[in-house]
Amino acid sequence: MVLPGPLARLVEELSRLPGIGPKTAQRLAFHIVEQPQERVTALANALVEAREQIRTCSVCCNLTDVDPCRLCSDPQRDDALLCVVEGPRDVMALERTREYRGRYHVLRGAISPLDGIGPGELRIRELLDRLQSGEVREVILATDPDPEGEATAMYLSRLLKPLGVKVTRMARGMPVGGSVEYMDEVTLAKAMEGRREIT
Amino acid sequence: MIYHAEGIVLRSQPFGEADRIITLLTRPEGKVRAVARGVRRTRSRLMGSTQLFTYGSYLLVRGRSDLETLSQGEIRESLRRLREDLDLMAYASYACELVDRMMVEREPDEFVFGLVLAVLRQMEAGSPPFGLVRYLELALLDRLGYRPELDGCLRCGKAWSPGNGWGIDGEAGGLICPECGTAPTVRRLSPGAVESLRRMRSLPAERAGVLRFSAETAREVRSALRDLLDARIEGPLKTRAFLESLEAAPWKEANHGRAGSD
């Protein structure tokens, strides 16, 4: 069956989204055209508004609708702590813990030589600018514990240490609820290395 | 078909919501690409064995697609230093990209497997990575049918004897004597650089870690091999740019006597 023009166009646009194959795109498109008009208008508006209003925070480089973003302008937070993460979703994950009350810096990626992503592609310049003021006492490197995240952390620690700021790396080891028996040897080694005295 | 294979993880790319596609250089099946499902979830048993540069034993399933499915994996040697040191990570990434780009999928090559493993192991053990990747470059060219002529002049056949004025022509693939070396594609080499290249060829892979060069020779050897490789590989190697950016990094005042990165 040949799809009517507008429907075919919708399918094509949807299938450009990550993780959406042609079959899923078709299913979504048929679903959309059977929805009430106002639903679809609301979806379309949400798409356009999100795209138009979301930009990069000029301080932390996170995505935001107000500049500086809410986390950067919150007077309750500790200016002396700066947590460096790879992406906006990492900020959300850390915020869910409600443990951390410092500021963030979002690199918007990680060093990945095999993908051609070097330090120049990340928001490192902005990070250095933020450290100029001398207010930050500790930079917490919270990039992923995978090769790309580790490379990024190593690069940043070499870059930041000479500036006289304390640089720490988030702990690596056993996940809560895991079992020693099933842990891979690299994680276990890391967990042993980073063991702590029980207080 | 289900098969066991020893393999080295050359590349690992996120795929879909929680999967990864890993490129493995295996001993029995050559280079294969496999989907590791669910490997980005915290509790995946496949996570450890699919880390970049890992040497492990894998259980793979081949279906009709050109992607295998990774069913089980066990670490033989984690080679973790290669991921925990920035310079080593850059060199090991370069080595893996080179192998990935030069090897054809599903063409087993016992020699290349041993070569790559020997190079990564010595890098892990602390041998100078610069010499190891140079060795790998020449050994891959030799093995894959592009063996550069290093015994004499490509044009007139005159045998190599240490002297000035010799050069290398990357496009043509070998040495050019002073009399024939007029083309602009010929890069002049010092006698020491030519001897270094020839010595590299005479070493077995397990001994490649002993390679050390003076700063000047290192630069020449690197350029000569780059000319030879660029004529055989299409498009730029992504990891080269990273090695270069490390070299230009602000904390690198001195070069520690090496010619530095690529």
Side-chain angles (χ1 to χ4, degrees):
Chain A
M1 185 189 109
V2 180
L3 286 178
L7 197 52
R9 235 189 82 211
L10 182 56
V11 170
E12 197 191 312
E13 291 300 331
L14 287 170
S15 58
R16 287 179 212 271
L17 296 172
I20 308 275
K23 275 273 183 267
T24 313
Q26 267 182 31
R27 199 162 50 78
L28 290 172
F30 277 104
H31 176 79
I32 287 169
V33 294
E34 281 170 16
Q35 292 293 303
Q37 178 71 44
E38 33 322 339
R39 262 288 161 70
V40 180
T41 312
L43 173 65
N45 288 342
L47 284 174
V48 174
E49 273 168 30
R51 182 65 191 85
E52 277 175 1
Q53 292 172 16
I54 297 299
R55 54 216 139 115
T56 298
C57 172
S58 58
V59 182
C60 70
C61 302
N62 199 355
L63 296 176
T64 177
D65 56 338
V66 284
D67 191 15
C69 73
R70 289 179 181 83
L71 287 168
C72 289
S73 50
D74 184 351
Q76 302 291 317
R77 300 190 77 106
D78 187 353
D79 285 316
L81 281 177
L82 185 62
C83 179
V84 179
V85 297
E86 290 180 20
R89 286 188 293 176
D90 300 327
V91 174
M92 282 166 58
L94 282 161
E95 278 303 285
R96 279 199 298 273
T97 67
R98 295 171 188 276
E99 283 288 322
Y100 177 69
R101 299 300 298 161
R103 307 277 182 196
Y104 291 97
H105 187 83
V106 184
L107 295 169
R108 306 286 284 273
I111 290 174
S112 178
L114 287 161
D115 296 307
I117 300 175
E121 275 71 38
L122 308 180
R123 307 291 176 114
I124 291 175
R125 183 80 264 151
E126 291 87 340
L127 175 62
L128 293 175
D129 288 346
R130 289 180 79 176
L131 297 176
Q132 291 296 325
S133 71
E135 241 176 322
V136 177
R137 274 186 291 106
E138 178 178 350
V139 174
I140 305 162
L141 300 176
T143 51
D144 289 345
D146 59 11
E148 293 78 22
E150 294 292 356
T152 311
M154 284 185 282
Y155 183 89
L156 287 178
S157 79
R158 284 198 196 171
L159 201 61
L160 302 184
K161 284 237 174 89
L163 304 179
V165 62
K166 181 177 173 189
V167 182
T168 56
R169 177 88 171 108
M170 215 159 47
R172 283 151 295 179
M174 301 281 294
V176 174
S179 68
V180 173
E181 185 190 353
Y182 286 112
M183 210 45 53
D184 68 89
E185 41 274 58
V186 184
T187 307
L188 266 183
K190 283 276 174 206
M192 285 301 270
E193 209 177 280
R195 69 184 183 277
R196 274 214 218 168
E197 196 174 342
I198 296 182
T199 46
Chain B
M1 171 175 102
I2 302 178
Y3 63 96
H4 283 277
E6 271 175 54
I8 300 162
V9 181
L10 297 180
R11 190 152 191 213
S12 167
Q13 299 158 278
F15 177 66
E17 188 67 19
D19 309 339
R20 279 182 177 279
I21 293 182
I22 60 168
T23 307
L24 281 171
L25 184 71
T26 69
R27 203 191 275 278
E29 296 290 324
K31 184 177 91 174
V32 298
R33 298 197 312 140
V35 190
R37 294 199 196 284
V39 75
R40 279 147 72 204
R41 289 185 227 282
T42 335
R43 276 159 221 195
S44 168
R45 287 178 305 123
L46 292 176
M47 192 158 42
S49 60
T50 54
Q51 294 282 302
L52 201 57
F53 316 135
T54 300
Y55 165 45
S57 300
Y58 301 92
L59 184 65
L60 294 146
V61 183
R62 181 172 296 174
R64 270 166 302 177
S65 89
D66 55 352
L67 278 179
E68 334 274 60
T69 302
L70 179 64
S71 160
Q72 287 172 37
E74 200 185 335
I75 300 173
R76 281 174 170 240
E77 291 169 40
S78 146
L79 304 177
R80 57 185 268 205
R81 270 195 69 199
L82 302 182
R83 296 183 296 268
E84 291 172 0
D85 179 291
L86 193 55
D87 293 299
L88 290 185
M89 199 253 187
Y91 277 106
S93 295
Y94 175 73
C96 285
E97 186 181 22
L98 196 63
V99 174
D100 189 9
R101 290 284 291 276
M102 292 187 78
M103 297 303 286
V104 179
E105 276 187 43
R106 293 181 180 172
E107 279 188 13
D109 190 324
E110 180 80 31
F111 176 86
V112 172
F113 184 84
L115 169 69
V116 177
L117 189 56
V119 164
L120 293 181
R121 269 180 178 156
Q122 289 171 91
M123 219 183 265
E124 162 92 6
S127 300
F130 180 88
L132 286 166
V133 297
R134 298 291 88 83
Y135 182 87
L136 179 69
E137 289 172 336
L138 183 60
L140 281 174
L141 284 168
D142 282 356
R143 176 67 184 180
L144 300 176
Y146 308 119
R147 186 181 164 90
E149 177 58 75
L150 295 175
D151 296 328
C153 176
L154 263 182
R155 302 247 162 77
C156 67
K158 179 181 169 188
W160 156 255
S161 65
N164 288 320
W166 285 72
I168 200 142
D169 186 333
E171 200 66 46
L175 287 180
I176 304 287
C177 74
E179 287 73 44
C180 301
T182 47
T185 50
V186 176
R187 178 190 294 276
R188 297 260 170 238
L189 292 177
S190 67
V194 178
E195 283 299 334
S196 292
L197 284 166
R198 289 164 53 84
R199 191 166 88 89
M200 270 165 63
R201 183 175 272 169
S202 68
L203 276 178
E206 289 70 27
R207 301 256 303 127
V210 304
L211 285 168
R212 278 165 183 80
F213 309 93
S214 70
E216 186 49 42
T217 311
R219 262 190 291 275
E220 286 186 81
V221 166
R222 181 178 66 191
S223 305
L225 284 165
R226 178 185 288 215
D227 288 352
L228 290 162
L229 277 173
D230 286 354
R232 310 292 165 227
I233 299 181
E234 277 190 32
L237 289 157
K238 290 175 181 164
T239 48
R240 233 185 227 165
F242 182 61
L243 271 170
E244 273 162 15
S245 77
L246 272 192
E247 189 49 33
W251 59 80
K252 284 261 172 84
E253 297 287 271
N255 274 345
H256 312 296
R258 288 201 308 242
S261 317
D262 285 72

